[in-house]
Amino acid sequence: MGLSDELSKFIPKGFGKKKKPTTVSDDIGSDYKSKDTTDKHTAGDSANRPIIAHSSAQHPTAPALGAKDVPDTLAKTEPEASDPPKAKDNDTDDDDSDDEYPVGSHIVMKEHVKSVSALAWNPSGDLLVSGDNGSLVHMWDFRAMDGSYKPTRTLVPYEGQQVRDLRFNRSGTHLLCATSDPRAKLYESNGHPVCDFKRGDMYVSDMRKTNGHVSGLFAADWNPQSDDVFATASADGTVRIWSCERPRAQDQVLVGKARNAGAVTACRYSSAMGPAAVIAAAQMDGSISLWPANGPYLRPVSRIDSAHTRGTETSDIVFAPDGHHFATRGGEDTVKLWDIRRPTSPVAITVLATSHSATSLAFSPSGSQIMIGSPQSIAVLDISDLSVLRHIPVGRCSAGITRVLWHPRVNQIAAAATDGSLSVLYSQTQSMRGAMLCAGKRSRRRADDVQVVGPIITPHALPLFRDDDKPAVMSAGKRRREAARGSSKHAPGQPLYGHGKGGNIGINETQHIMKSIIKDTMRDEDPREALLKYAAVAESDPMFVAPAYKSTQDKPVFDNDADDQVPEMKRRK
């Protein structure tokens, strides 16, 4: 070995960090680490973007995308054509389809007598509020309820007015109620009323010049960017924007160009934030107007003239979670999907018969499906073409479903029916809180729950057990007082003869006889005749006032002929 070889050991042959020698165990460990890292990155990405279709079984609330929407990084993890996925049997497919929806268990709450027309769920999912056509609003607090499923509070916003819409603000502190009365009503989350908003002047023709609606409300919705700003839609053809701090006058009035457009039957804020947020309003002429949510409110940014059939009521407008799509349900039993960026024509149309004119729509938490009430079940529509994916039965309910809500946080579905029943569907594995808080509780026994089968008879009240000779049980002091009185029975006091004693006045026979002979007849005497007896004496011999003015008093002269004279004008009549 020469000198150059010795020096070459100390001369670097490369730059940068050198790789350490690895062993077989290190290679295996690195494989597991890389696998875990890939799973973590995939899980992190899935929280921020939609999950591809093949993983929808693991994530039931995730939307399904097409092949064009699959990122390149995820496309590499797809199974190759040489390794096709294993075929599943029919039972497995049914189980997977059931896992997509929280329908394993359900509870039924029956308190409404009339059809349920409004439904609202607070953001935490612990409080459900329902309103019916009979002006009643029931609050269902699952934390305080038990197995009897009775409402925790009942409200009457306006007597005899149908409840048409209920909405919680984004923080869940206030509840907005819209009825067939022109005034909206605001409640706290515990049911305490806050204020009533002003009614407008019905004699003003220009709806922009009056503070408040002049006709009944149809819908109401909170601004998702604020906790105290909301919009109301009315039969007077206007949409008014209010602030909770100023209930005496609205902030803005939205009026369409067409004067004969009719009532505004639906009104919703979009879920988008910033300048892209809009307000969608549907009117009786079949048109849908899109207004900027943050102004200016001079004219709508776009208008769909023939969205639905003219003269029919568009019962609901609901926006997808992406903020760009919204679905409408028309009075001609059609469901249409629209895109805000291209609102000229609907993206998809379907015809689905419903059992109520005020049937509502609801998007799934992922936005890939639309739910709508149908007779005896809930229809699930695919957002791509609005085809019916399946029908979800609601327990043993045989009535039509009017309102549907799918809460994204607790992953539960609430459905209201025309017979007044309210059902909450949930899954034992995928759902949390909500109706599960009271599903397993025992019913508390109340005082009014005790039923009397027959008459209640005390044993000693019967003649067989009654003992009249036996003295009543009394205390020693009471016995001494009764003994001092001489008798245990409270008999009426006897008349006291002779001189009085003990505070009582005595009488004798002479007084009794004189009372019967000398009677006081002043009560039977006429007071007028008693005074007129002294009229002649007072005139002949005055004693008090008349003598003082006798020398100076004029003699009164009365006109006795005035009553016989009749005016000339009256005689002509």
Side-chain angles (χ1 to χ4, degrees):
M1 180 180 295
L3 182 60
S4 60
D5 297 335
E6 292 292 336
L7 293 175
S8 62
K9 296 180 181 180
F10 301 98
I11 297 174
K13 298 181 176 60
F15 299 93
K17 190 176 180 181
K18 294 184 179 180
K19 243 184 178 180
K20 294 182 180 180
T22 57
T23 59
V24 177
S25 60
D26 294 335
D27 292 338
I28 296 174
S30 63
D31 290 340
Y32 281 109
K33 290 179 182 179
S34 61
K35 184 176 180 180
D36 296 338
T37 305
T38 304
D39 294 338
K40 289 179 181 179
H41 286 297
T42 306
D45 294 339
S46 62
N48 299 325
R49 63 171 178 270
I51 303 176
I52 57 178
H54 75 276
S55 60
S56 61
Q58 300 176 359
H59 303 275
T61 60
L65 300 180
K68 296 181 181 179
D69 299 330
V70 180
D72 296 337
T73 56
L74 294 180
K76 296 178 181 179
T77 60
E78 290 286 327
E80 298 179 359
S82 58
D83 299 328
K86 295 181 181 180
K88 299 180 180 180
D89 54 358
N90 297 333
D91 297 339
T92 309
D93 292 339
D94 295 339
D95 295 341
D96 292 342
S97 61
D98 291 339
D99 292 341
E100 290 188 27
Y101 311 97
V103 296
S105 304
H106 73 281
I107 63 172
V108 181
M109 299 173 287
K110 295 182 178 180
E111 191 68 20
H112 290 284
V113 179
K114 297 187 177 181
S115 174
V116 179
S117 56
L119 205 61
W121 219 329
N122 70 336
S124 63
D126 298 334
L127 178 62
L128 185 66
V129 183
S130 60
D132 60 10
N133 292 336
S135 71
L136 293 180
V137 175
H138 292 311
M139 306 185 73
W140 314 83
D141 192 351
F142 298 124
R143 297 165 296 184
M145 290 170 54
D146 55 11
S148 61
Y149 305 134
K150 296 294 183 181
T152 54
R153 188 158 190 169
T154 300
L155 309 174
V156 182
Y158 297 105
E159 189 69 32
Q161 302 295 334
Q162 175 189 357
V163 181
R164 289 180 172 173
D165 206 355
L166 295 168
R167 292 285 167 176
F168 278 100
N169 61 349
R170 65 176 183 178
S171 60
T173 56
H174 290 87
L175 172 67
L176 181 63
C177 179
T179 65
S180 55
D181 190 272
R183 298 166 294 174
K185 194 156 189 175
L186 188 65
Y187 291 93
E188 294 181 356
S189 58
N190 54 10
H192 294 164
V194 178
C195 62
D196 296 353
F197 291 85
K198 189 177 180 181
R199 182 201 302 264
D201 189 356
M202 60 183 299
Y203 297 103
V204 177
S205 58
D206 190 358
M207 290 293 101
R208 296 183 180 90
K209 303 299 182 181
T210 178
N211 294 326
H213 291 288
V214 298
S215 300
L217 303 180
F218 272 95
D221 194 22
W222 290 92
N223 189 341
Q225 305 179 28
S226 175
D227 276 340
D228 59 350
V229 178
F230 63 91
T232 55
S234 171
D236 58 8
T238 63
V239 176
R240 299 178 188 266
I241 300 176
W242 303 80
S243 176
C244 296
E245 299 176 355
R246 294 180 295 275
R248 306 308 300 168
Q250 73 276 346
D251 293 345
Q252 298 291 338
V253 182
L254 281 61
V255 182
K257 292 183 179 180
R259 292 184 176 270
N260 57 351
V264 182
T265 59
C267 174
R268 288 291 177 267
Y269 275 93
S270 67
S271 56
M273 296 294 179
V278 297
I279 303 175
Q283 295 185 266
M284 287 293 291
D285 63 346
S287 64
I288 297 177
S289 302
L290 301 178
W291 303 79
N294 302 318
Y297 304 102
L298 297 177
R299 60 181 59 88
V301 293
S302 61
R303 177 183 171 88
I304 310 171
D305 291 328
S306 300
H308 289 281
T309 304
R310 185 181 184 88
T312 60
E313 177 184 347
T314 303
S315 60
D316 197 12
I317 298 176
V318 59
F319 278 87
D322 60 3
H324 299 302
H325 296 83
F326 67 95
T328 60
R329 188 263 172 194
E332 70 274 21
D333 291 337
T334 60
V335 178
K336 297 184 180 182
L337 182 67
W338 306 85
D339 191 343
I340 298 178
R341 296 161 294 186
R342 295 180 297 274
T344 55
S345 60
V347 179
I349 304 175
T350 187
V351 178
L352 186 64
T354 57
S355 58
H356 198 270
S357 60
T359 304
S360 66
L361 301 170
F363 270 95
S364 63
S366 62
S368 61
Q369 297 160 353
I370 301 176
M371 308 185 73
I372 182 174
S374 63
Q376 303 180 5
S377 65
I378 301 174
V380 182
L381 310 179
D382 189 3
I383 193 174
S384 59
D385 55 356
L386 295 183
S387 60
V388 179
L389 297 178
R390 63 171 297 179
H391 286 272
I392 300 176
V394 185
R396 298 180 180 180
C397 180
S398 59
I401 306 300
T402 58
R403 295 280 171 173
V404 181
L405 285 179
W406 190 340
H407 200 286
R409 183 170 182 178
V410 299
N411 194 22
Q412 297 177 12
I413 300 174
T418 55
D419 61 352
S421 63
L422 190 63
S423 302
V424 180
L425 311 178
Y426 62 93
S427 174
Q428 295 288 351
T429 57
Q430 299 178 2
S431 302
M432 56 180 292
R433 295 180 64 84
M436 301 177 68
L437 297 175
C438 63
K441 288 185 179 180
R442 295 180 56 186
S443 301
R444 293 189 295 266
R445 187 172 183 178
R446 299 179 175 85
D448 54 355
D449 292 341
V450 179
Q451 297 182 358
V452 179
V453 179
I456 300 176
I457 301 174
T458 57
H460 295 284
L462 298 175
L464 177 64
F465 301 99
R466 188 179 303 161
D467 190 1
D468 296 334
D469 298 334
K470 186 177 180 180
V473 179
M474 61 180 68
S475 61
K478 189 174 182 180
R479 285 197 298 270
R480 287 194 298 269
R481 290 192 297 271
E482 293 293 339
R485 291 177 183 176
S487 176
S488 60
K489 297 181 180 180
H490 297 282
Q494 298 294 329
L496 183 61
Y497 297 96
H499 299 285
K501 61 180 179 180
N504 298 324
I505 299 175
I507 61 174
N508 51 29
E509 290 81 359
T510 306
Q511 292 176 345
H512 179 72
I513 294 172
M514 295 303 295
K515 278 188 177 182
S516 61
I517 295 175
I518 303 173
K519 294 183 179 181
D520 187 8
T521 59
M522 185 177 293
R523 183 177 300 176
D524 301 331
E525 187 178 359
D526 188 5
R528 183 174 179 274
E529 294 179 358
L531 291 175
L532 290 177
K533 288 190 302 183
Y534 302 98
V537 178
E539 186 176 358
S540 60
D541 187 13
M543 297 176 59
F544 301 103
V545 180
Y549 302 96
K550 188 173 183 180
S551 60
T552 60
Q553 184 69 30
D554 296 334
K555 185 178 180 179
V557 178
F558 300 101
D559 187 8
N560 297 324
D561 300 334
D563 298 338
D564 300 335
Q565 296 178 2
V566 180
E568 183 179 355
M569 297 301 296
K570 291 187 176 180
R571 279 182 288 178
R572 290 180 182 178
K573 291 182 180 179

